[in-house]
Amino acid sequence: MTKYNITEKKEKESNYRSLVSPQLMDELRDRILDIIVMQKKYRDHDYSAKQLALDLGTNTRYISAVMNVRFHMNYTSFVNKYRIEEAMSILVDKRYQDLSIEEVSDMVGYSNRQSFYASFYKIMGVTPRDYRLQHTIPQPPKTQKKKK
């Protein structure tokens, strides 16, 4: 007799996914990309899946279905992906080298430093600080002119 009752997890197909037609999924996918990516709504830390559904004139179940079927991730992961991609660009851009990690975090839509660090590390495998250090060329220290 076995001590533990371990069963293999079965992939469960959500019923609401099959209620959304492929054509509607494609249309919603395109509109989601327009709003989240092109209009850069991912930068707004208050922009939720509920707000996206309202803007699209649909409901959050449809948003969830499209996210899972067309993007293979949930809403939060989708938004975080674009936030981290922009953060990576900012972190290595010389124009923004004087910004703190917290300022970069705020620019890309995170409401706190901890969420930014957690998401960045999950996606990139390094902290934002380490990423910046690995991808920027150290500037030589400015030398002081000697007074005579």
Side-chain angles (χ1 to χ4, degrees):
M1 184 160 19
T2 60
K3 186 174 181 180
Y4 300 104
N5 184 13
I6 300 174
T7 57
E8 192 173 314
K9 185 178 177 185
K10 295 177 185 174
E11 278 296 315
K12 192 170 86 173
E13 186 70 24
S14 297
N15 291 337
Y16 63 87
R17 289 184 192 177
S18 60
L19 296 176
V20 185
S21 71
Q23 294 84 6
L24 180 57
M25 277 211 186
D26 289 340
E27 180 187 331
L28 288 173
R29 179 200 63 219
D30 293 343
R31 292 173 63 202
I32 288 168
L33 285 169
D34 178 58
I35 290 172
I36 300 294
V37 181
M38 301 307 289
Q39 296 178 30
K40 298 188 186 280
K41 288 289 189 180
Y42 62 84
R43 289 180 178 171
D44 181 354
H45 60 82
D46 292 325
Y47 198 77
S48 63
K50 186 175 183 177
Q51 184 59 51
L52 176 61
L54 288 172
D55 290 349
L56 294 174
T58 188
N59 62 55
T60 54
R61 286 198 175 261
Y62 277 32
I63 298 296
S64 178
V66 172
M67 287 292 170
N68 283 293
V69 173
R70 294 294 189 248
F71 299 111
H72 308 290
M73 60 183 82
N74 64 28
Y75 175 81
T76 303
S77 297
F78 181 78
V79 169
N80 285 343
K81 174 180 176 257
Y82 289 100
R83 288 175 173 173
I84 297 305
E85 285 177 5
E86 183 170 359
M88 289 165 47
S89 297
I90 292 170
L91 288 168
V92 298
D93 192 323
K94 289 179 182 175
R95 295 173 293 177
Y96 301 112
Q97 68 185 7
D98 293 334
L99 289 180
S100 69
I101 300 297
E102 289 78 13
E103 290 169 319
V104 173
S105 166
D106 189 54
M107 281 177 70
V108 299
Y110 284 93
S111 54
N112 64 62
R113 180 179 169 269
Q114 290 78 13
S115 296
F116 177 57
Y117 264 77
S119 294
F120 198 98
Y121 192 84
K122 181 179 179 184
I123 292 171
M124 297 305 300
V126 295
T127 65
R129 181 184 177 279
D130 289 342
Y131 182 84
R132 178 182 259 173
L133 292 173
Q134 291 171 5
H135 292 85
T136 55
I137 301 167
Q139 299 297 318
K142 294 179 182 175
T143 56
Q144 298 285 328
K145 290 186 179 180
K146 294 181 181 177
K147 294 182 182 178
K148 290 187 179 183

